[in-house]
Amino acid sequence: MEVVSRSDSTLRGHVVAEIAAIDAARRRVTGAGFDGVLLVPCFFEAGRFTAGDIHWANVSGQPIPAGDTEFAQDSTFGYTSSNLRDFIAEKSRGTITSDEVHSISLDDIRLGGPTRVAEILDGVTGGAFVVVNATDYADLEIVVLGLLEVQERGKSFGYRCGPSFLRALAGLEPQGPLTAAQIWPTGRPGGHGLVVVGSHVGLTSRQVAKAQERGGLTETELHVPTLLDPDRRDAHVADIGRQVVEALATSDVLLFTSRTLIRGGDADDSLAISRTVSTAVIEVVRAALAAHPAWVVAKGGITSHDVAVRGLGIRRAEVIGQLFPGMVSVFRPIEAAPEAVGTPTWCSPATSATTTPSPTSSTSSPDADDPVRQTRSIHHSAEGNSRYDQRRMDRSGSHGFSHGIFRRQGWTRGHGLRYRPAEGRGPSRRRRQSRGHHQ
């Protein structure tokens, strides 16, 4: 079993603490912790990649070090370091130094291939973090090939990663956007849908403004200052719930929290405010189930999780695909509140309009870009590994966005050995074939 700590691709969340909790649980169950932890926050479709150990984010078409973006100013999970080795030291509050963090560079990946990656991973012990540099999926597939080599020799690794690494690790091929017929095989039902927005980052607020400008949605707003007033809170939530139920009878509904961010005195206070607001959102979503929404869209990483798990009561759902290439997962609840079973649910992170889907059923957090753990069982065999040989790799299909950025930033892609699996298949295909009974 591979246990993956799914993180925010803009580096927010309980990075060190969550990995420590997973490692402790593993020690209780198996008697041994991780030899190391791969830190891979890449989300290529959203323009997030790592090079020179620095994590970059696309902001208005330009690559910006993550520590210089609005996401680094988060009231609860803020940070200053864009260099991921320094970032781990910062988040550990001094218990880990940057020198103790390992790194797999682009040259290691592109010149040394899986053998060099395996050599680096063989030297990782004591649960140390390993920064993985990558600007496209080809880089990640080479890392996974090296990872498989050391796993066969008994090494064990945990993962703190964004959406892109899961595709290479878990065996997912690129998928095209869903069609309406795939979302509604028996035809689109009647009724209206619910859009739920909880994220307060600037990108989300701009998207809300665009939706309001386009029109066609009945708007309902949860006023955060009122939610923080114990004397007015319950009545306000009940009133918004009634408004949503009534509006769903005649139109699609946009439910959003007020856009002015209210910060607490410190990170813990800010987190408490977020939880208070999230609970109110969930109560309104539960009330909305009485109107049987035809579909639900959740915007924001933690919002997506809470809407799905706490609001719709989803315990198991089929991930049927994505709305755009690599973007916006669509779920069909299988085990959930009775009113929610079968209702298509879209989940989109706060930091972009994108997520990466999985074709398997999920019993964990169904959102794709928040600091919530996912677990996935992946089976592979030595026989399956023999299907792959090392050859020169044609990178013409690599991700154009990051490649273009590297040209503008003066980076080179490296020359020399390239690696590609036999018959043009990546490590992900081998994993998927060997776990076919899970499809």
Side-chain angles (χ1 to χ4, degrees), residues 224-307:
V224 174
T226 303
L227 296 178
L228 300 179
D229 182 346
D231 294 331
R232 298 187 295 160
R233 184 259 185 208
D234 290 349
H236 179 55
V237 171
D239 181 54
I240 295 298
R242 285 191 295 270
Q243 290 182 34
V244 170
V245 170
E246 292 172 2
L248 281 170
T250 57
S251 69
D252 298 332
V253 176
L254 171 63
L255 169 66
F256 62 99
T257 55
S258 53
R259 297 291 86 196
T260 300
L261 175 61
I262 297 179
R263 297 177 181 268
D266 55 26
D268 289 339
D269 285 345
S270 294
L271 185 58
I273 291 172
S274 296
R275 287 172 173 161
T276 297
V277 174
S278 179
T279 298
V281 170
I282 295 319
E283 290 180 22
V284 174
V285 171
R286 288 174 179 167
L289 288 176
H292 297 278
W295 46 264
V296 176
V297 173
K299 175 62 181 177
I302 295 175
T303 300
S304 295
H305 169 265
D306 286 350
V307 166

Side-chain angles (χ1 to χ4, degrees), residues 301-388:
I302 295 175
T303 300
S304 295
H305 169 265
D306 286 350
V307 166
V309 175
R310 298 171 59 198
L312 303 179
I314 297 176
R315 290 296 174 265
R316 189 163 67 95
E318 176 190 9
V319 186
I320 60 178
Q322 56 202 355
L323 291 187
F324 306 99
M327 307 177 182
V328 189
S329 300
V330 183
F331 299 82
R332 182 175 290 116
I334 297 173
E335 294 179 10
E339 302 91 340
V341 171
T343 301
T345 303
W346 286 256
C347 291
S348 177
T351 55
S352 73
T354 61
T355 71
T356 298
S358 159
T360 63
S361 295
S362 170
T363 58
S364 61
S365 164
D367 87 303
D369 198 36
D370 76 319
V372 179
R373 282 196 308 277
Q374 278 185 349
T375 59
R376 184 188 303 277
S377 178
I378 304 172
H379 299 275
H380 52 90
S381 63
E383 179 181 359
N385 293 339
S386 67
R387 294 177 53 82
Y388 294 87

Side-chain angles (χ1 to χ4, degrees), residues 214-230:
R214 295 181 65 175
L217 297 167
T218 298
E219 300 175 18
T220 53
E221 178 180 349
L222 277 167
H223 188 240
V224 174
T226 303
L227 296 178
L228 300 179
D229 182 346

